[in-house]
Amino acid sequence: DASSSFVSKNTSTNPQSIFRQFMFNNSIMSGRVVKYSPISRSYKDVVGKQFNIDLENASQLMNDIIEDRSNFRNHGDVLYGYATTTDTPDLLSIGGGFLTNATYNKGKATLTFKNRLDILSQLFVSIDTTSRQGASFVAGNHNPADLLWTILTASSYGGGFSNVTCYTNPQINYDSWKEWKDQLNTESIVVRGFFPYGTNIQQAIKSIAEITDSAIYVEADNRLFFQRYLTGANSYTSTVSDNSAIRYSVKGDAYDMCNKYTIPMSYNVTSNQIGNSPSGTVTAINQTSINSFGTISKEPTTKLVWYVDSASALTLATRITTRRKEPEIAISLNNEYYTGMLGK
């Protein structure tokens, strides 16, 4: 959604005319902001953490929130961008959600917001509260994207999302979902699955993301975003000189490494339960990584979704042992205008 002008300024070494804006309940309140707290998201968490905004309240104008409690659960947005030659700045939302808490202390009001899709952990795939049967997808093979779309939008499951198949879908970034689906189709990726009664939507999303090695997470606009490839494409490149850098730090992380990955296939579902033993397994090994670091064996952390053919399973295992063959290196860079995280 970023304009070409936004992208150009964002990729420059020292972007000028940076503009931040805070909106609450459709009113611009940037002038009252004392502090913008960090806003962060990780695709592994699906839904980002809550964020805080500190506003001055020496004037007691922010007391209106607790005096009129209908203000709670109204929407707040933090926007970032650049001033333009017109009266309207070029902005994108970097954090949005509904107001859950308001804390007052020493002339300051701290507002806490949660992403609207935080409710994913409270919605359940199966809505059969009478016989408590799980949600079964074992009758035939499914494109993982179609399986997840059904869970999220079909009335027989607990997602309750909009099924609008265009960009205006308020909860699903349809364009990214369609691109994800088409890529899985191109690779002939099909799965089956079973979600026992009590499995929530967030758990289902994580299991599908893991078994396809995809990123599925809620963006700042409170919509689910889908990305097939996690590495291999740079969003932009920027050169920063030593004179421009205020500080930087480097962090290495070997926790997620894997050079031997084993994928179980084709579980049986009987008596409303997934069997303990798969029909077979497929394993990929990265011998070069093993020679350097020793064997680091892993497998999927859940068995809610599984492959039914060895070719697809081997494709995933090979992706994992290639992408996670060595420790990840992250560089955090701060200069006068910009703070960013670079990964390798």
Side-chain angles (χ1 to χ4, degrees):
D1 292 339
S3 68
S4 57
S5 174
F6 184 102
V7 173
S8 175
K9 291 181 178 180
N10 209 45
T11 57
S12 64
T13 301
N14 290 316
Q16 305 292 316
S17 304
I18 290 176
F19 200 99
R20 289 186 297 185
Q21 186 177 91
F22 171 60
M23 296 189 67
F24 178 64
N25 199 20
N26 295 318
S27 296
I28 298 174
M29 305 184 71
S30 309
R32 299 193 179 281
V33 175
V34 176
K35 179 182 178 182
Y36 289 93
S37 298
I39 297 175
S40 62
R41 288 188 302 278
S42 170
Y43 71 87
K44 294 180 181 179
D45 297 330
V46 182
V47 179
K49 298 178 181 179
Q50 64 185 30
F51 63 91
N52 298 325
I53 300 293
D54 292 344
L55 300 101
E56 71 80 21
N57 195 41
S59 61
Q60 299 186 4
L61 291 176
M62 300 308 301
N63 288 354
D64 179 63
I65 290 175
I66 53 174
E67 291 170 354
D68 179 4
R69 282 177 279 186
S70 65
N71 283 300
F72 283 92
R73 302 190 70 81
N74 279 333
H75 190 77
D77 245 326
V78 176
L79 300 105
Y80 173 92
Y82 304 94
T84 65
T85 55
T86 67
D87 293 333
T88 305
D90 190 1
L91 301 173
L92 288 178
S93 173
I94 60 173
F98 61 92
L99 178 65
T100 59
N101 299 84
T103 306
Y104 295 81
N105 185 35
K106 297 181 179 180
K108 180 180 70 175
T110 300
L111 306 186
T112 301
F113 294 88
K114 277 190 175 183
N115 191 287
R116 289 196 176 276
L117 292 191
D118 187 71
I119 198 174
L120 287 172
S121 62
Q122 303 170 43
L123 301 175
F124 298 95
V125 180
S126 172
I127 55 176
D128 183 5
T129 57
T130 302
S131 57
R132 303 171 71 89
Q133 294 292 307
S136 179
F137 293 86
V138 298
N141 300 333
H142 305 269
N143 181 309
D146 288 329
L147 191 157
L148 182 53
W149 181 271
T150 300
I151 288 173
L152 292 174
T153 66
S155 59
S156 50
Y157 302 100
F161 280 23
S162 168
N163 62 359
V164 172
T165 55
C166 67
Y167 185 77
T168 59
N169 189 305
Q171 295 144 326
I172 298 171
N173 185 307
Y174 179 78
D175 291 350
S176 71
W177 175 85
K178 183 64 166 60
E179 184 177 343
W180 180 55
K181 173 186 174 177
D182 291 345
Q183 183 60 48
L184 293 170
N185 267 336
T186 299
E187 298 177 39
S188 300
I189 301 297
V190 292
V191 298
R192 297 184 182 183
F194 183 81
F195 302 91
Y197 183 82
T199 303
N200 66 50
I201 298 293
Q202 187 162 324
Q203 290 170 324
I205 291 173
K206 285 185 175 182
S207 67
I208 294 172
E210 180 180 33
I211 207 66
T212 59
D213 196 34
S214 302
I216 306 174
Y217 60 95
V218 180
E219 264 289 6
D221 62 0
N222 287 222
R223 294 192 298 170
L224 275 173
F225 184 87
F226 304 82
Q227 179 71 44
R228 172 62 170 150
Y229 295 110
L230 306 181
T231 59
N234 292 323
S235 57
Y236 65 86
T237 300
S238 182
T239 301
V240 179
S241 66
D242 289 341
N243 293 333
S244 300
I246 297 175
R247 62 181 178 272
Y248 67 89
S249 62
V250 181
K251 179 177 70 173
D253 185 357
Y255 177 79
D256 203 37
M257 277 188 64
C258 174
N259 49 37
K260 181 180 180 181
Y261 198 72
T262 299
I263 300 179
M265 296 191 305
S266 297
Y267 287 97
N268 288 322
V269 177
T270 56
S271 301
N272 202 34
Q273 292 183 333
I274 302 172
N276 292 324
S277 301
S279 64
T281 60
V282 171
T283 300
I285 294 175
N286 189 316
Q287 192 60 53
T288 301
S289 175
I290 291 175
N291 293 342
S292 298
F293 302 101
T295 301
I296 305 172
S297 300
K298 294 186 178 180
E299 60 183 47
T301 58
T302 72
K303 57 180 182 180
L304 300 176
V305 182
W306 56 85
Y307 287 104
V308 294
D309 67 281
S310 58
S312 296
L314 182 60
T315 296
L316 171 67
T318 303
R319 281 167 60 97
I320 295 295
T321 56
T322 300
R323 186 172 67 83
R324 293 157 56 181
K325 64 185 177 181
E326 58 189 1
E328 291 186 343
I329 304 299
I331 302 172
S332 180
L333 173 66
N334 177 265
N335 68 13
E336 182 180 356
Y337 303 97
Y338 174 80
T339 299
M341 182 72 74
L342 308 175
K344 180 180 180 182

